Amino acid sequence: MNILLLGSGGREHALALKMSQSPLCGKLFIAPGNAGTAQCGTNVNMGVSEFDKIRSFCLEQGITMVVPGSEEALVNGIFDYFAQDEALKHIPVMGPSKLGAQLEGSKAFAKLFMERQGIPTAAYREFSEENYEEGIAYIKQHSLPIVLKADGLAAGKGVVITSSHDEALDEFSQMIKAAKFGDASRKVVIEQFLTGIELSVFVLTDGHTYKILPEAKDYKRIGEGDKGLNTGGMGAVSPVPFADAAFMKLVEDKVIRPTVDGLSKEGIIYPGFIFFGLINVAGEPFVIEYNCRMGDPETEVVMPRLQNDLLELFTAVSAGNLSAQTIYTDQRAAATVMLVSKGYPEAYEKNKVITSIPQPTHDQIVFHAGTRQDGASVLTNGGRVLAVTSLATTLSLALAHSVQTANQIEFEGKNFRRDIGYEFI
């Protein structure tokens, strides 16, 4: 198989490494990729939503499968683009149709879908410029804290939890009147605040059946003890200690099966990953959000624990016989620590030389996120730079190994959290 993987982050390096290990993998191309993905295949200077360029490349290179890593290409309709083109429609795209991707692309779409399918989620209402004054009145009588979500994609930054009515009113105005998140906040979902502990659950589906992958928990805040600004993710752990067999049965019965059955019943074409952002409220799972792809940095702990051939699973998805597959999981714990640039998640520095990145071993891999190759040097090229993942018999050992390596790697302005998984250690 000749594969085109779309994306450039730590998630894509983890997917690229996993696919490159498959005997089914012929040529692997990553667009645009990073310094790490270049070790797994060939980077291509092409944007994930440059569909016409992607079309030409696929035909020239004899691509037999396209794997979108991030949500952008999926929400923009790459599945439909391929399905509607006579020259491309034989190439499977591992991700949902444009309509299916609205599970992530629109908070309001996802909420209405959950309502129709009876899937547990926080109570909510949606507002826009048209019913702005209703939104003001709704906020004034809402219990605290108040959760406001930009309806569309906002690079993981479109959710604000406010602790006072004045703060909520100001955020509401910023989102709708001042377009704080651009088009993404033309519509705002106001949600009940749920108290509990969060986790990420992932499935691979062919749109009718599904397989549950190892779960994970990520850490969004920049500072230790979950303090400071929200980021794209400062680290992750897998497995999640409270996600035992009894809890996961509730997740499957109340969330996963109704979601996949609902997609099938509603005729929504969905071959690929579903990411369930969940919260455990007194032992009951509620859906905070859906994503139409794997998470980042969760992929960097999930893929090392997944013992299956990923391309074999993808082939089963495209053939519609995923139900015949069995998922095999490494029983070791995995902990990922993300090294970030000075200033992140706000304005950050780039082009700093990175040194002392160790070679992968059977129990540790350093995934590249925001990096680029410059001759013999590897330079920083993003806010999140490297993800150090370690596997060990216990979570505390895995974290200790990741922190040890994070200390050894050098680049100017390096920052990372040393307390990933702190609730469980």
Side-chain angles (χ1 to χ4, degrees):
M1 298 171 69
N2 293 338
I3 315 292
L4 174 61
L5 170 63
L6 301 174
S8 62
R11 167 183 47 219
E12 285 74 33
H13 187 187
L15 291 170
L17 181 62
K18 194 74 179 168
M19 290 191 291
S20 72
Q21 292 166 346
S22 168
L24 298 174
C25 188
K27 292 179 181 173
L28 174 61
F29 299 96
I30 309 95
N34 60 40
T37 61
Q39 298 164 18
C40 308
T42 305
N43 287 348
V44 183
N45 186 19
M46 189 164 60
V48 301
S49 290
E50 293 185 301
F51 291 173
D52 291 345
K53 282 187 182 177
I54 290 169
R55 179 187 193 276
S56 300
F57 184 85
C58 287
L59 296 176
E60 286 163 12
Q61 296 294 334
I63 296 298
T64 49
M65 182 176 285
V66 174
V67 180
S70 67
E71 68 281 2
E72 182 187 324
L74 293 164
V75 171
N76 288 339
I78 191 165
F79 179 95
D80 309 69
Y81 181 90
F82 272 66
Q84 292 159 12
D85 188 311
E86 282 298 321
L88 297 177
K89 66 181 185 182
H90 68 285
I91 303 172
V93 175
M94 270 311 105
S97 62
K98 188 170 187 175
L99 182 60
Q102 285 299 292
L103 280 182
E104 178 170 1
S106 167
K107 304 287 189 301
F109 177 94
K111 283 288 192 180
L112 287 167
F113 174 83
M114 286 186 270
E115 222 170 64
R116 291 194 299 272
Q117 303 306 328
I119 295 164
T121 189
Y124 80 102
R125 282 194 58 190
E126 58 182 85
F127 300 95
S128 63
E129 185 73 62
E130 283 67 47
N131 61 348
Y132 182 80
E133 292 305 323
E134 275 180 54
I136 295 288
Y138 184 71
I139 288 169
K140 285 179 177 176
Q141 57 80 46
H142 201 288
S143 59
L144 297 173
I146 304 171
V147 183
L148 294 92
K149 295 183 175 181
D151 177 59
L153 297 178
K157 298 182 176 69
V159 179
V160 181
I161 300 170
T162 58
S163 55
S164 72
H165 291 97
D166 286 346
E167 187 188 358
L169 290 167
D170 182 56
E171 277 296 336
F172 186 61
S173 170
Q174 288 290 320
M175 285 186 179
I176 290 180
K177 295 291 190 184
K180 179 177 179 178
F181 300 108
D183 286 347
S185 59
R186 285 184 184 277
K187 189 185 288 181
V188 172
V189 169
I190 298 178
E191 228 179 49
Q192 167 199 11
F193 179 81
L194 297 175
T195 301
I197 186 165
E198 296 180 23
L199 78 158
S200 306
V201 171
F202 307 93
V203 305
L204 187 60
T205 180
D206 55 16
H208 305 285
T209 60
Y210 59 86
K211 293 293 170 182
I212 303 174
L213 304 178
E215 79 285 355
K217 181 174 184 353
D218 81 326
Y219 294 80
K220 293 288 188 200
R221 299 284 185 174
I222 188 70
E224 292 179 4
D226 278 339
K227 294 184 172 66
L229 295 172
N230 258 338
T231 72
M234 293 296 291
V237 298
S238 177
V240 179
F242 67 80
D244 56 16
F247 181 76
M248 289 305 293
K249 186 174 190 311
L250 289 175
V251 170
E252 183 167 10
D253 292 348
K254 295 188 174 189
V255 175
I256 296 172
R257 192 174 298 117
T259 297
V260 176
D261 287 351
L263 291 168
S264 182
K265 279 188 296 197
E266 296 190 14
I268 297 172
I269 299 168
Y270 203 115
F273 295 110
I274 309 175
F275 168 137
F276 301 87
L278 303 179
I279 186 166
N280 176 351
V281 181
E284 289 289 326
F286 285 74
V287 178
I288 299 171
E289 64 174 356
Y290 290 109
N291 289 167
C292 60
R293 38 71 191 182
M294 288 295 289
D296 193 344
E298 294 100 324
T299 309
E300 291 94 306
V301 285
V302 172
M303 286 300 142
R305 293 192 67 224
L306 179 67
Q307 294 184 320
N308 295 68
D309 180 326
L310 187 57
L311 288 182
E312 204 173 278
L313 292 176
F314 285 166
T315 301
V317 168
S318 61
N321 62 3
L322 183 62
S323 58
Q325 298 290 317
T326 301
I327 298 298
Y328 299 99
T329 303
D330 191 321
Q331 293 308 299
R332 291 178 295 172
T336 287
V337 171
M338 187 68 74
L339 278 61
V340 303
S341 297
K342 183 180 179 181
Y344 179 78
E346 299 187 301
Y348 54 81
E349 300 174 342
K350 285 187 181 182
N351 300 316
K352 305 298 181 183
V353 175
I354 309 168
T355 58
S356 305
I357 302 173
Q359 291 299 308
T361 66
H362 75 286
D363 59 5
Q364 189 174 83
I365 310 160
V366 178
F367 294 110
H368 290 241
T371 66
R372 68 180 181 88
Q373 196 77 38
D374 182 30
S377 298
V378 176
L379 305 181
T380 66
N381 193 41
R384 294 190 295 169
V385 178
L386 297 167
V388 182
T389 297
S390 302
L391 293 150
T393 51
T394 66
L395 188 54
S396 56
L397 266 178
L399 176 64
H401 292 164
S402 288
V403 168
Q404 184 179 26
T405 298
N407 278 320
Q408 289 169 3
I409 296 170
E410 294 294 340
F411 62 86
E412 188 186 327
K414 176 186 76 175
N415 182 31
F416 65 94
R417 280 181 61 172
R418 293 159 179 80
D419 68 337
I420 300 304
Y422 67 91
E423 319 97 308
F424 311 125
I425 294 173

